[in-house]
Every structure is written in C-alpha cells, then in structure tokens.
Amino acid sequence: MKRKMIIIFLALTTAAFAADSAIYGEELITNILGYGKEGSLHLGQWFTVLQGKYFSIGFLIVALGIPAVFLIHYLIIGPKVFSHDRKKIPVFTIFHRVIHWIAGVSFLVLVPTGFIMVFGTTFGGGEFVRICKDLHALSTILFCISVVPMLIMWFKEMLPTMDDVKWMMILGGYLSKVKRPIPAGKFNAGQKMWFWVCTFGGIIMILTGAVMFFQDFELAIIKSMGLTQIDFLRLSAIVHNILGMAVAALFFTHVYMSMFAIKGAIHSMITGEKEEEEVEILHSTYYKQLKEQNKV
C-alpha cells in the first residue's frame, strides 16, 4: 500500500511540474509540431550529428593533440630562460593576481569536468559524471565572480594593435631558440586572444551552460523570437560545445606558456613581478615605454 501511495505521489508531483513546464506541459505539443516547420531553426539533424559524433572527435583532438604539439615544441625548441640577476619589474597588483587566481582555479575544475561530461559514457556515466556536472556548475560561480573584474581591469590593454599583427607573423618567436626582441605591449597577441575568448566567450558559455543545466524554464524573449524551448536548448548546446573546444585549447596553451615555455613566468602571478630581461625580450614595446617613463 505504501509503495502504491509513493508511486501516486510521484505521478501527481510530476504532473504538477509538467503543467508549468516549458518543455513538457502545454509546450509539449508546440515543441513536437514545431520540429522542422517554418520558424524552426531546423537544428534537429545538426544537433544529432554534432552531439553524437563530431563534438567528441573535436574534444578528443583538443585533449590529445594540443598537449602533444606542446610536448614536441618543448623537446625540440625548449623553454625560454631569462636572467634572474637584473631588476624585477612590477606588472600585476594584488587585485590583479587575486582575480586571476579565482579565474584560474575555476578553469582547473571547469575544463576537466567538461571533458568528463563530453565523454560521460566512456567514464561509465552514473554518479561520477553527475558529481562532475555539479562541480562544473559550482566552479562556474567562481568564474562569474572573476569575469567582470577581468574585463574592467584589462579591457584597454587587451585592445588589438599593430604589434599583434607582427607577433602573429612570427608566432611570438616561440619557434626559435634565439632570444630576439618581440613586438608586444604589456600583453602579447596570444594573451589577448585568450583574454577575449575567456571573457566574452566565457560569458556566452555561462549563459548557454545555465540553459542546459536548468533546461526547463520559460523566458518571454524566447517565445517572442518564435523559438521553441527545444530549439533554444539545442542551439545552446551547440554554441557551448564549440566555444568549449576553443576555451580548452587556449587554456592548455596558457598553462603551457606560463609553466613550461617560459621558465619562471608563473611567478609573475604570485609575486606580481617579471624579470627585466623577460619584459625586454618578450614585451619589447612595453619595455621601451617603461624606459621612456624612467620606470626601469
């Protein structure tokens, strides 16, 4: 008898939830009838193919290919090593560093848990993947805390300049063992690329991730655009995955550059200071500006 009562309670609860649902309830018929019809985004087939095959291939290439390329670079070209006997140049304030580390910690959770969710069946699904999903959501809160301050404090310095074009043409000098002055301001083109993908791309990922996490909700703006909730969910998933691959690839690059490609570079986000020779070589335009201002 108790079992029957529990089943009836669950059924009634589900029915009550579905009554106000944006996916089930009254919207269920709208969603079904809207598949492939005028006004639909026609994402069904695209979503199935991308989600079922190509996204996993793309993430696998990022997970294995990017580290492999950097390993080859490290073995053939090796890291850049700069003198520690000259001046220390203050570059980052304590506020810069705290915000950066909040973002960094969030990415250290977001990226691996994101990969685990993409390859959920490979990891056996179940409780482990569900825990990773929750950790992914919680670490998003950390990133939300850091993303707006990062935009405010670094926006101006991250705007593109002609130095960035020159930097890209020689890939920042990282394909050469010779230390020559590289045209770059306080931040080089690679760092700027990571910044824009991390911030604006990250904000889009926050929004699309929230759509996928909560799934069943109603927004007037969605209906005003003629979108069904299913269309909106599929679009969010596609955008989130594409941006996810870009973010993961650039995150691996950022970690490699700060921890391996430039010896001691990560210390700048601990002490706030860079070695003078490192600034002189890798950020030559910025170094010239400091010299003109008598700061070095």
Side-chain angles (χ1 to χ4, degrees):
M1 183 66 181
K2 288 183 178 180
R3 184 178 297 178
K4 288 183 178 179
M5 291 296 293
I6 292 172
I7 293 172
I8 292 171
F9 174 76
L10 290 174
L12 290 173
T13 303
T14 303
F17 173 77
D20 296 321
S21 170
I23 299 177
Y24 307 104
E26 294 179 359
E27 292 292 320
L28 177 60
I29 303 300
T30 304
N31 279 314
I32 293 173
L33 293 178
Y35 290 169
K37 300 296 189 299
E38 185 178 351
S40 168
L41 294 181
H42 305 282
L43 292 176
Q45 185 176 356
W46 281 104
F47 176 79
T48 302
V49 172
L50 291 172
Q51 195 76 9
K53 182 179 180 181
Y54 291 105
F55 281 152
S56 58
I57 293 174
F59 277 104
L60 188 62
I61 291 172
V62 170
L64 301 179
I66 301 296
V69 168
F70 291 144
L71 176 60
I72 293 170
H73 176 274
Y74 191 86
L75 295 174
I76 296 176
I77 305 296
K80 292 190 179 297
V81 181
F82 298 101
S83 170
H84 288 240
D85 298 328
R86 295 168 62 181
K87 293 180 181 178
K88 311 290 184 185
I89 297 178
V91 179
F92 302 114
T93 67
I94 184 65
F95 181 73
H96 291 158
R97 285 173 274 158
V98 169
I99 294 300
H100 179 274
W101 281 111
I102 291 174
V105 169
S106 72
F107 274 107
L108 287 173
V109 179
L110 284 167
V111 173
T113 53
F115 275 105
I116 289 169
M117 287 189 289
V118 169
F119 300 106
T121 54
T122 304
F123 288 96
E127 191 63 24
F128 173 65
V129 176
R130 281 193 291 273
I131 290 172
C132 287
K133 177 185 175 184
D134 292 337
L135 287 173
H136 197 80
L138 288 171
S139 56
T140 299
I141 298 173
L142 274 181
F143 180 65
C144 289
I145 294 171
S146 64
V147 67
V148 173
M150 280 197 300
L151 269 172
I152 294 172
M153 67 191 188
W154 284 327
F155 182 88
K156 185 178 179 181
E157 292 172 318
M158 292 294 181
L159 293 173
T161 66
M162 282 307 298
D163 275 345
D164 299 326
V165 177
K166 298 173 185 176
W167 190 96
M168 291 298 294
M169 290 177 68
I170 59 173
L171 291 179
Y174 288 106
L175 297 183
S176 172
K177 295 183 179 182
V178 180
K179 291 191 289 187
R180 296 190 185 93
I182 305 298
K186 186 175 181 179
F187 297 100
N188 62 43
Q191 291 169 317
K192 290 179 180 181
M193 190 186 307
W194 167 235
F195 173 82
W196 294 116
V197 170
C198 170
T199 53
F200 281 106
I203 290 171
I204 294 173
M205 289 194 74
I206 289 170
L207 298 175
T208 54
V211 170
M212 291 188 293
F213 186 84
F214 295 108
Q215 293 189 14
D216 201 8
F217 57 88
E218 290 191 46
L219 285 177
I221 190 171
I222 298 175
K223 290 185 177 180
S224 69
M225 294 170 65
L227 291 177
T228 64
Q229 188 72 5
I230 297 298
D231 266 340
F232 191 51
L233 283 170
R234 285 172 172 166
L235 180 61
S236 297
I238 291 171
V239 171
H240 194 86
N241 277 284
I242 292 172
L243 282 173
M245 284 183 270
V247 167
L250 288 173
F251 175 71
F252 289 155
T253 304
H254 188 62
V255 170
Y256 174 70
M257 290 298 173
S258 60
M259 295 188 68
F260 301 100
I262 308 169
K263 286 293 184 181
I266 195 171
H267 292 153
S268 66
M269 272 302 166
I270 298 174
T271 65
E273 299 173 328
K274 283 182 179 287
E275 302 297 335
E276 183 177 355
E277 188 186 21
E278 180 185 340
V279 178
E280 183 182 17
I281 298 298
L282 297 184
H283 302 270
S284 65
T285 302
Y286 179 56
Y287 184 74
K288 290 174 184 175
Q289 291 170 353
L290 293 176
K291 291 280 282 186
E292 291 170 359
Q293 298 166 5
N294 296 317
K295 293 184 177 179
V296 291

